[in-house]
Amino acid sequence: MQLKNVDYDAPFVHQRTIRFGETDAASIVYTVRFFDYALDAIDAWYADVLTVSLYSLNTEHGLSCPFVHAGIDFQSALRPGDQLSVTVLVQALGRSSLTLRILGTQVDGTHSFSGTFTVVFVDGAAMRSIPVPGPLAERIREYQARCPAGDAPGGGRGALAGSVAP
C-alpha cells in the first residue's frame, strides 16, 4: 500500500454547521448525532491525512477497520446554526489498533464534547486482526509528531496525543 504525498494540517480539524434536522424536541442536538460528527471527522481524517478512506481500505485493500470502542463525554449543548470544529488527535497506536481522541469545539471556544474511538485493523477475508500496515503506521506517527503539544485539554500531549500502546 502506497500513500499519496500530501500536505495536511496537524491537528486535523473538520468543520460543520449544525442543522435544524439534527435537533430533538428540546431544540438541541440529538445525542446520537454527536457520534455522527465524530465519525464524519474520523472518515475525513483518513481521507485527508492518510489519503485512503475507510471505504477504500475495505474495497480496494481488503482491510477492515471495525470500531471496538466508541465513547463520548458531553460538555455543552449544540443548537442549529452553531459552527462546530471537530479535532482529531492520535491517542495511541498499537500493533493492530488505533485510538483517536476527538474534540468538538464551538467557534467561541466552548467545548461541546470529547471522545475516544478505537479501531482494529482486520484482514477482511480472514476476519482476524493484523498489524497496522507499515505506510499507515508511519503516516500516523508522523501526524502524531506534527500535532502541537498544546492541542489537548490541559495543555499537554500526555495520554491524549502522544502515547504509543504496546
Side-chain angles (χ1 to χ4, degrees):
M1 173 184 312
Q2 188 159 353
L3 304 180
K4 295 177 190 165
N5 231 353
V6 295
D7 186 31
Y8 55 83
D9 292 331
F12 178 81
V13 180
H14 186 64
Q15 306 285 338
R16 67 173 301 119
T17 301
I18 304 304
R19 303 290 179 208
F20 173 76
E22 300 167 1
T23 62
D24 60 17
S27 297
I28 59 175
V29 168
Y30 178 57
T31 304
V32 75
R33 295 294 300 182
F34 287 88
F35 286 91
D36 290 338
Y37 303 154
L39 294 177
D40 282 349
I42 290 168
D43 195 35
W45 179 80
Y46 268 84
D48 291 359
V49 174
L50 301 183
T51 69
V52 60
S53 71
L54 286 167
Y55 180 73
S56 66
L57 275 175
N58 195 354
T59 60
E60 296 171 25
H61 301 283
L63 299 176
S64 183
C65 292
F67 284 86
V68 296
H69 170 80
I72 290 183
D73 294 312
F74 304 97
Q75 283 87 38
S76 67
L78 291 169
R79 291 179 171 75
D82 285 347
Q83 300 297 311
L84 179 64
S85 298
V86 182
T87 302
V88 178
L89 299 169
V90 172
Q91 180 170 314
L93 176 63
R95 183 191 78 81
S96 61
S97 66
L98 171 63
T99 300
L100 298 171
R101 180 79 172 150
I102 306 302
L103 307 171
T105 308
Q106 295 179 47
V107 165
D108 67 1
T110 301
H111 295 286
S112 293
F113 68 94
S114 59
T116 56
F117 292 78
T118 302
V119 298
V120 172
F121 287 80
V122 171
D123 177 305
M127 291 307 290
R128 298 207 187 278
S129 68
I130 60 168
V132 177
L136 292 175
E138 186 177 317
R139 178 70 56 89
I140 291 165
R141 286 188 192 98
E142 173 189 283
Y143 173 79
Q144 199 172 15
R146 287 183 54 188
C147 286
D151 289 323
R157 287 168 75 169
L160 291 177
S163 68
V164 176

